[in-house]
Amino acid sequence: MKNINKYLNMLLIQQKTEILEIALNLKIFKLIQEGVNRVFDISLKIKIDDSKTKILLDSLVFMELLEVKQDKYYVTQFAKEFFICGTSSYCGDVFLHRKQMIENGKKMIKSLLEEDIKLKDNKTAKLWADASKKFLKQEQRNLIAPIALDIIKNLKEFNFINKMLDLGCASGIVGLEITKNHPTLKTTLFDYKEVTDIAKEHIKEYKLEKQVTVLSGDIEKDEIGTNYDLIWCSNIFYFFKNKKEVIEKIYNSLSPNGILVSCHVEIDTKNNLDENSFFYFLSLNLQGKNILKPMELSKIFEEVGFSTINSYTTYKTPMTPSQIHICKK
């Protein structure tokens, strides 16, 4: 028998996200980790009265981000890893940014009730650059780079790769993490100029100026370089009008035995398992950026001439599972 609670419980999700947003903005986890862990003391620090402070803290206990023992609150291991600001593994800005994306998406969803509305495509170079300074840097370093590195280090060709392209690099952290683990690799980070200006700062942070350079432009319009042994790209194909044309450009830019590693979300609208992926990409879909269907990329990879295509799903990517394609020329 079907239960309406699935839909009623959806109403509670917003409360939980609001609580976590407040906690992150108030730096609650850092405060408690530093030893300010009683309700009264926390209340003084965050300037919220005792009763409301306790409600906030108890909410975080139910969310398994805090523990309480003898009236003292402690940060759980998970929250220590991801939500203490100032640490290298902090991902609070990833959460806050994605929450804002969902909030912005509400306006687009309401457009379903309006006729002839023209939705603004706000994926400008400046927005990507601003994101690459903060939340994308966190996301790529702590959530995406470990996945990419694991995939690429397990390629049997890894030790023989000399030249790599991180295509649509954003912060550039994925390419930098891979290069850091390969002492002779020469890497190019490609994105809009506003974005690669940010990536240049990250190259300096990693002290990889001798191994990593940038190339700026529009993937659809400009040259991306040639003779790469490896190209990594993630979540870029949704934005192209002619995906096959871009993939042909990628194919032609590879060396004779080059490898493309693609990481993208593919959504089967008839598969209930893709429910979260569908709703996460809903605002993008409403902008006219069509979601990728299962096998869509595989067919194009085959059509442009890749000799072998190894595909599988990873559930390690944030929020939505992603399809990994390892394509050899």
Side-chain angles (χ1 to χ4, degrees), residues 289-312:
K289 303 296 187 291
N290 293 330
I291 57 178
L292 295 169
K293 302 179 180 66
M295 300 302 294
E296 181 178 350
L297 287 179
S298 296
K299 289 176 181 176
I300 301 176
F301 293 144
E302 188 175 343
E303 287 171 5
V304 302
F306 283 101
S307 60
T308 62
I309 303 163
N310 178 26
S311 304
Y312 63 92

Short mmCIF file of all heavy atoms in Angstrom, two decimals, residues 289-312:
data_model
loop_
_atom_site.label_atom_id
_atom_site.label_comp_id
_atom_site.label_asym_id
_atom_site.label_seq_id
_atom_site.Cartn_x
_atom_site.Cartn_y
_atom_site.Cartn_z
N LYS A 289 19.18 23.67 -21.67
CA LYS A 289 20.38 22.83 -21.71
C LYS A 289 19.93 21.40 -21.46
O LYS A 289 19.75 20.97 -20.33
CB LYS A 289 21.37 23.27 -20.63
CG LYS A 289 21.78 24.73 -20.74
CD LYS A 289 22.55 24.97 -22.04
CE LYS A 289 23.12 26.38 -22.08
NZ LYS A 289 22.12 27.44 -22.21
N ASN A 290 19.71 20.67 -22.53
CA ASN A 290 19.10 19.34 -22.41
C ASN A 290 19.96 18.38 -21.60
O ASN A 290 21.18 18.31 -21.78
CB ASN A 290 18.85 18.76 -23.81
CG ASN A 290 17.79 19.53 -24.56
OD1 ASN A 290 16.88 20.08 -23.96
ND2 ASN A 290 17.91 19.59 -25.87
N ILE A 291 19.32 17.64 -20.72
CA ILE A 291 20.03 16.63 -19.95
C ILE A 291 20.53 15.54 -20.88
O ILE A 291 19.99 15.32 -21.96
CB ILE A 291 19.11 16.03 -18.86
CG1 ILE A 291 17.83 15.45 -19.50
CG2 ILE A 291 18.77 17.05 -17.80
CD1 ILE A 291 16.89 14.79 -18.52
N LEU A 292 21.58 14.86 -20.44
CA LEU A 292 22.14 13.76 -21.24
C LEU A 292 21.38 12.48 -20.95
O LEU A 292 21.12 12.14 -19.79
CB LEU A 292 23.62 13.58 -20.89
CG LEU A 292 24.56 14.74 -21.26
CD1 LEU A 292 25.93 14.53 -20.63
CD2 LEU A 292 24.67 14.88 -22.76
N LYS A 293 21.03 11.77 -21.99
CA LYS A 293 20.32 10.50 -21.84
C LYS A 293 21.33 9.35 -21.79
O LYS A 293 22.45 9.48 -22.31
CB LYS A 293 19.35 10.30 -23.01
CG LYS A 293 18.32 11.41 -23.16
CD LYS A 293 17.42 11.13 -24.37
CE LYS A 293 16.38 12.23 -24.55
NZ LYS A 293 17.01 13.53 -24.91
N PRO A 294 20.96 8.23 -21.19
CA PRO A 294 21.85 7.07 -21.18
C PRO A 294 22.26 6.68 -22.60
O PRO A 294 21.44 6.70 -23.51
CB PRO A 294 20.99 5.98 -20.52
CG PRO A 294 20.01 6.72 -19.69
CD PRO A 294 19.72 7.99 -20.44
N MET A 295 23.51 6.38 -22.77
CA MET A 295 24.10 5.94 -24.05
C MET A 295 24.27 7.07 -25.06
O MET A 295 24.88 6.86 -26.12
CB MET A 295 23.26 4.82 -24.69
CG MET A 295 23.12 3.56 -23.85
SD MET A 295 24.74 2.83 -23.45
CE MET A 295 25.30 2.33 -25.08
N GLU A 296 23.78 8.27 -24.75
CA GLU A 296 23.89 9.38 -25.70
C GLU A 296 25.36 9.69 -26.00
O GLU A 296 25.76 9.82 -27.17
CB GLU A 296 23.19 10.62 -25.15
CG GLU A 296 23.24 11.82 -26.08
CD GLU A 296 22.49 13.03 -25.53
OE1 GLU A 296 21.78 12.90 -24.51
OE2 GLU A 296 22.63 14.12 -26.13
N LEU A 297 26.16 9.84 -24.95
CA LEU A 297 27.58 10.14 -25.16
C LEU A 297 28.31 8.95 -25.76
O LEU A 297 29.15 9.12 -26.64
CB LEU A 297 28.23 10.55 -23.84
CG LEU A 297 27.88 11.94 -23.30
CD1 LEU A 297 28.58 12.19 -21.97
CD2 LEU A 297 28.24 13.03 -24.29
N SER A 298 28.00 7.75 -25.29
CA SER A 298 28.66 6.55 -25.81
C SER A 298 28.51 6.44 -27.33
O SER A 298 29.46 6.12 -28.04
CB SER A 298 28.08 5.29 -25.15
OG SER A 298 28.34 5.28 -23.78
N LYS A 299 27.31 6.73 -27.82
CA LYS A 299 27.07 6.66 -29.26
C LYS A 299 27.89 7.68 -30.02
O LYS A 299 28.44 7.39 -31.09
CB LYS A 299 25.58 6.86 -29.54
CG LYS A 299 24.71 5.68 -29.11
CD LYS A 299 23.22 5.97 -29.32
CE LYS A 299 22.37 4.80 -28.85
NZ LYS A 299 20.91 5.10 -28.95
N ILE A 300 27.99 8.90 -29.46
CA ILE A 300 28.78 9.93 -30.13
C ILE A 300 30.26 9.56 -30.10
O ILE A 300 30.97 9.72 -31.11
CB ILE A 300 28.56 11.31 -29.47
CG1 ILE A 300 27.09 11.71 -29.55
CG2 ILE A 300 29.42 12.37 -30.17
CD1 ILE A 300 26.76 13.01 -28.84
N PHE A 301 30.75 9.07 -28.95
CA PHE A 301 32.14 8.65 -28.87
C PHE A 301 32.46 7.60 -29.93
O PHE A 301 33.51 7.64 -30.58
CB PHE A 301 32.45 8.08 -27.48
CG PHE A 301 32.39 9.09 -26.36
CD1 PHE A 301 31.90 8.74 -25.11
CD2 PHE A 301 32.82 10.40 -26.56
CE1 PHE A 301 31.84 9.67 -24.07
CE2 PHE A 301 32.76 11.34 -25.52
CZ PHE A 301 32.27 10.96 -24.29
N GLU A 302 31.54 6.68 -30.12
CA GLU A 302 31.73 5.62 -31.13
C GLU A 302 31.71 6.20 -32.54
O GLU A 302 32.53 5.85 -33.39
CB GLU A 302 30.64 4.56 -30.97
CG GLU A 302 30.85 3.33 -31.81
CD GLU A 302 29.82 2.25 -31.53
OE1 GLU A 302 29.15 2.33 -30.48
OE2 GLU A 302 29.70 1.34 -32.38
N GLU A 303 30.78 7.13 -32.77
CA GLU A 303 30.64 7.72 -34.10
C GLU A 303 31.87 8.52 -34.53
O GLU A 303 32.24 8.52 -35.70
CB GLU A 303 29.41 8.63 -34.14
CG GLU A 303 28.09 7.88 -34.14
CD GLU A 303 26.88 8.81 -33.97
OE1 GLU A 303 27.09 10.05 -33.94
OE2 GLU A 303 25.76 8.31 -33.85
N VAL A 304 32.50 9.21 -33.58
CA VAL A 304 33.65 10.03 -33.95
C VAL A 304 34.93 9.21 -34.12
O VAL A 304 35.92 9.73 -34.63
CB VAL A 304 33.90 11.19 -32.96
CG1 VAL A 304 32.68 12.08 -32.84
CG2 VAL A 304 34.33 10.68 -31.60
N GLY A 305 34.91 7.94 -33.67
CA GLY A 305 36.03 7.06 -33.99
C GLY A 305 36.83 6.47 -32.85
O GLY A 305 37.85 5.81 -33.08
N PHE A 306 36.41 6.68 -31.60
CA PHE A 306 37.16 6.06 -30.51
C PHE A 306 37.13 4.54 -30.65
O PHE A 306 36.08 3.96 -30.91
CB PHE A 306 36.57 6.48 -29.16
CG PHE A 306 36.96 7.87 -28.74
CD1 PHE A 306 36.08 8.93 -28.90
CD2 PHE A 306 38.21 8.12 -28.20
CE1 PHE A 306 36.43 10.22 -28.53
CE2 PHE A 306 38.58 9.41 -27.82
CZ PHE A 306 37.69 10.46 -27.99
N SER A 307 38.28 3.91 -30.49
CA SER A 307 38.38 2.47 -30.75
C SER A 307 37.81 1.63 -29.62
O SER A 307 37.20 0.58 -29.86
CB SER A 307 39.85 2.08 -30.98
OG SER A 307 40.64 2.39 -29.85
N THR A 308 38.01 2.07 -28.37
CA THR A 308 37.42 1.35 -27.23
C THR A 308 36.78 2.36 -26.28
O THR A 308 37.32 3.45 -26.06
CB THR A 308 38.46 0.53 -26.46
OG1 THR A 308 39.46 1.40 -25.91
CG2 THR A 308 39.12 -0.50 -27.37
N ILE A 309 35.64 1.97 -25.72
CA ILE A 309 34.91 2.83 -24.78
C ILE A 309 34.52 1.98 -23.58
O ILE A 309 33.73 1.04 -23.71
CB ILE A 309 33.66 3.43 -25.43
CG1 ILE A 309 34.02 4.22 -26.69
CG2 ILE A 309 32.92 4.32 -24.44
CD1 ILE A 309 32.84 4.50 -27.59
N ASN A 310 35.08 2.31 -22.43
CA ASN A 310 34.74 1.60 -21.19
C ASN A 310 33.90 2.52 -20.33
O ASN A 310 34.34 3.61 -19.97
CB ASN A 310 36.03 1.20 -20.46
CG ASN A 310 35.74 0.50 -19.15
OD1 ASN A 310 34.69 -0.12 -18.98
ND2 ASN A 310 36.66 0.59 -18.21
N SER A 311 32.68 2.10 -20.01
CA SER A 311 31.74 2.97 -19.29
C SER A 311 31.24 2.30 -18.01
O SER A 311 31.00 1.09 -18.01
CB SER A 311 30.54 3.32 -20.18
OG SER A 311 30.96 3.91 -21.39
N TYR A 312 31.09 3.09 -16.97
CA TYR A 312 30.50 2.59 -15.72
C TYR A 312 29.97 3.76 -14.91
O TYR A 312 30.29 4.92 -15.18
CB TYR A 312 31.53 1.78 -14.91
CG TYR A 312 32.72 2.57 -14.43
CD1 TYR A 312 32.72 3.19 -13.18
CD2 TYR A 312 33.86 2.69 -15.23
CE1 TYR A 312 33.82 3.90 -12.74
CE2 TYR A 312 34.96 3.40 -14.80
CZ TYR A 312 34.94 4.01 -13.56
OH TYR A 312 36.02 4.72 -13.12
#
